[in-house]
C-alpha cells in the first residue's frame, strides 16, 4: 500500500468502496450538506406549495438565497477568469426538477400583512416609513404605499380597486392611514423617531438625511406660525392667514408633541 503521513494505507479496492457505499459513507461532505438542504426545500414545498422561502425562514431561507445569488453570478457576463461556482450543473438540474424559483421571493399579501403586524407590535404604529425595506420588514414601506392607494380607491367605490372588502377592513383595523398627506406626515414622524433612537437627538443633521432635515425645518416654521396665529400676531415666516397651516390639524400637532418636537425646536 501507499504511505500517508507515516501510516501505511491500503489501496481502495472496488470491493472496499462497495462496502462503504452499502453503509452510506459520505464521500463529499459539502455535497452532503447541499443535499440535506435540498431535501429540506422539497419538504418545505410539499407543506407550503412553493420554493419561494423567505430569507427570514432560518437556515433554509439563507441557503435558498445563496442558490439564487450563485445562479445570478453564473448569468453574469462579468465573471472572473477561472472562477468556479458552487452551483454545479447537477445542482441546477435538481433545483429545476422541483420548479425552483430563481427570481427570488415574491411575498404574498398575507405575508406583507404579517410583516406589518410585526412592525405594529414593535413600534406601536402602522405608519411605517415609506422607505422601509429590511430583513424583518422586506419592502413594507412600498407595499403600504400601494395599499393606501388601493384603500382610497375602495373608499370612493372605484371599479379599478384591487383591494377586497376583507383586506380593506384588516388594514383599517390595524390602523393604516389612507389619507396620503396624513400618511406621509406620520411616516416622517416615524423617520424622526428612528433618527432619535439612532443618534440620541431630534436635531437632524443635513449631512445625515437632507430630506428629513428639510422637513424638520419646515415643521418648525409651521409650528411657530401656528402659535403666532393663536396670539393674533402676523406670522414671521410669510405664512398668511389665507393659507391654512398644516399644524392647525390637532392630530399632527399631537404627533409632534408626543415626541417632544415643540420643546426641542419651538419653546426655546
Amino acid at each position: 500500500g501507499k504511505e500517508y503521513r507515516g501510516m501505511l494505507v491500503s489501496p481502495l479496492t472496488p470491493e472496499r468502496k462497495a462496502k462503504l457505499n452499502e453503509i452510506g459513507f459520505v464521500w463529499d461532505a459539502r455535497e452532503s450538506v447541499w443535499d440535506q438542504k435540498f431535501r429540506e426545500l422539497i419538504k418545505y414545498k410539499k407543506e407550503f406549495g412553493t420554493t419561494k422561502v423567505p430569507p427570514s425562514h432560518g437556515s433554509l431561507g439563507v441557503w435558498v438565497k445563496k442558490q439564487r445569488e450563485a445562479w445570478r453570478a453564473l448569468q453574469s457576463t462579468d465573471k472572473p477568469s477561472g472562477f468556479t461556482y458552487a452551483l454545479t450543473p447537477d445542482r441546477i438540474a435538481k433545483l429545476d426538477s422541483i420548479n425552483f424559483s430563481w427570481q427570488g421571493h415574491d411575498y404574498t399579501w398575507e405575508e406583507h400583512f404579517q410583516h406589518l403586524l410585526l412592525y405594529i407590535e414593535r413600534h406601536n404604529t402602522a405608519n411605517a416609513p415609506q422607505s422601509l425595506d429590511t430583513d424583518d420588514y422586506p419592502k413594507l414601506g412600498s407595499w403600504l404605499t400601494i395599499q393606501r392607494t388601493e384603500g382610497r380607491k375602495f373608499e370612493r367605490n372605484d371599479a379599478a380597486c384591487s383591494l377586497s372588502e376583507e383586506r380593506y377592513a384588516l388594514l383599517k383595523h390595524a390602523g393604516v392611514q389612507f389619507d396620503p398627506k396624513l400618511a406621509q406626515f406620520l411616516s416622517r414622524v416615524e423617520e424622526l423617531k428612528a433618527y432619535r433612537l439612532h443618534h440620541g437627538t431630534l436635531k437632524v443633521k443635513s449631512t445625515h438625511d437632507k430630506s428629513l432635515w428639510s422637513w424638520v425645518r419646515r415643521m418648525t416654521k409651521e409650528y411657530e406660525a401656528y402659535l403666532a396665529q393663536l396670539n393674533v400676531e402676523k406670522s414671521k415666516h410669510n405664512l398668511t392667514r389665507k393659507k391654512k397651516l398644516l399644524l392647525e390639524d390637532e392630530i399632527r400637532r399631537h404627533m409632534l408633541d408626543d415626541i417632544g418636537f415643540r420643546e426641542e425646536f419651538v419653546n426655546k
Side-chain angles (χ1 to χ4, degrees):
K2 296 182 180 179
E3 189 173 304
Y4 179 73
R5 293 186 179 179
M7 295 182 293
L8 190 65
V9 181
S10 299
L12 187 60
T13 62
E15 292 79 11
R16 288 175 177 173
K17 187 174 182 179
K19 287 184 177 181
L20 288 171
N21 286 333
E22 285 176 6
I23 62 172
F25 183 79
V26 176
W27 297 99
D28 187 333
R30 287 176 297 180
E31 194 69 24
S32 175
V33 171
W34 194 94
D35 285 336
Q36 179 184 343
K37 287 300 178 188
F38 181 67
R39 287 192 293 271
E40 287 180 26
L41 180 59
I42 292 174
K43 183 179 178 181
Y44 181 93
K45 185 180 180 182
K46 285 181 179 178
E47 183 175 354
F48 298 100
T50 179
T51 62
K52 294 177 179 178
V53 185
S56 57
H57 191 82
S59 61
L60 181 60
V62 173
W63 180 83
V64 165
K65 182 181 178 182
K66 286 183 177 179
Q67 305 313 301
R68 294 196 180 102
E69 288 174 349
W71 183 80
R72 285 194 293 270
L74 280 171
Q75 312 311 306
S76 173
T77 57
D78 187 26
K79 295 190 287 288
S81 177
F83 191 83
T84 57
Y85 296 91
L87 195 60
T88 62
D90 179 59
R91 291 177 177 180
I92 292 174
K94 285 183 177 180
L95 289 168
D96 282 340
S97 71
I98 61 170
N99 295 319
F100 182 73
S101 173
W102 295 104
Q103 298 302 322
H105 184 73
D106 295 326
Y107 291 94
T108 64
W109 193 95
E110 288 74 18
E111 285 175 318
H112 277 302
F113 187 69
Q114 289 303 314
H115 296 152
L116 174 61
L117 294 181
L118 178 62
Y119 184 88
I120 294 171
E121 181 183 335
R122 293 177 177 175
H123 301 276
N124 199 33
T125 178
N127 297 291
Q130 293 180 7
S131 59
L132 185 61
D133 181 11
T134 65
D135 287 343
D136 286 343
Y137 317 112
K139 299 181 180 179
L140 181 59
S142 58
W143 178 80
L144 269 175
T145 298
I146 295 171
Q147 302 316 301
R148 291 186 182 109
T149 300
E150 293 303 313
R152 292 194 298 276
K153 289 180 183 178
F154 181 89
E155 291 173 341
R156 59 176 184 263
N157 295 317
D158 191 326
C161 176
S162 64
L163 198 64
S164 67
E165 183 176 356
E166 180 185 5
R167 288 180 174 179
Y168 173 83
L170 286 170
L171 293 168
K172 192 83 172 176
H173 182 72
V176 173
Q177 175 55 247
F178 295 105
D179 179 335
K181 292 183 178 179
L182 182 55
Q184 186 177 33
F185 180 88
L186 296 176
S187 178
R188 281 297 195 186
V189 171
E190 289 304 309
E191 288 179 28
L192 187 55
K193 287 164 66 176
Y195 184 91
R196 180 177 61 184
L197 183 65
H198 187 70
H199 297 281
T201 179
L202 293 174
K203 295 179 179 179
V204 181
K205 292 184 178 181
S206 61
T207 53
H208 289 162
D209 189 332
K210 192 166 185 177
S211 177
L212 185 58
W213 170 80
S214 297
W215 182 82
V216 168
R217 288 189 67 193
R218 186 161 65 86
M219 288 305 102
T220 301
K221 291 179 180 180
E222 285 258 355
Y223 215 133
E224 290 174 346
Y226 166 75
L227 294 177
Q229 284 188 2
L230 289 183
N231 294 325
V232 199
E233 295 177 0
K234 184 178 180 180
S235 170
K236 298 178 182 179
H237 302 286
N238 300 320
L239 294 171
T240 65
R241 194 66 187 92
K242 292 180 181 179
K243 177 181 178 182
K244 184 176 180 179
L245 297 170
L246 190 67
L247 294 183
E248 286 182 50
D249 176 28
E250 188 176 2
I251 294 176
R252 288 178 170 86
R253 287 201 315 279
H254 284 175
M255 289 292 293
L256 291 178
D257 289 345
D258 284 346
I259 63 173
F261 188 95
R262 180 171 177 173
E263 290 77 6
E264 186 75 59
F265 298 105
V266 184
N267 293 346
K268 295 181 180 178

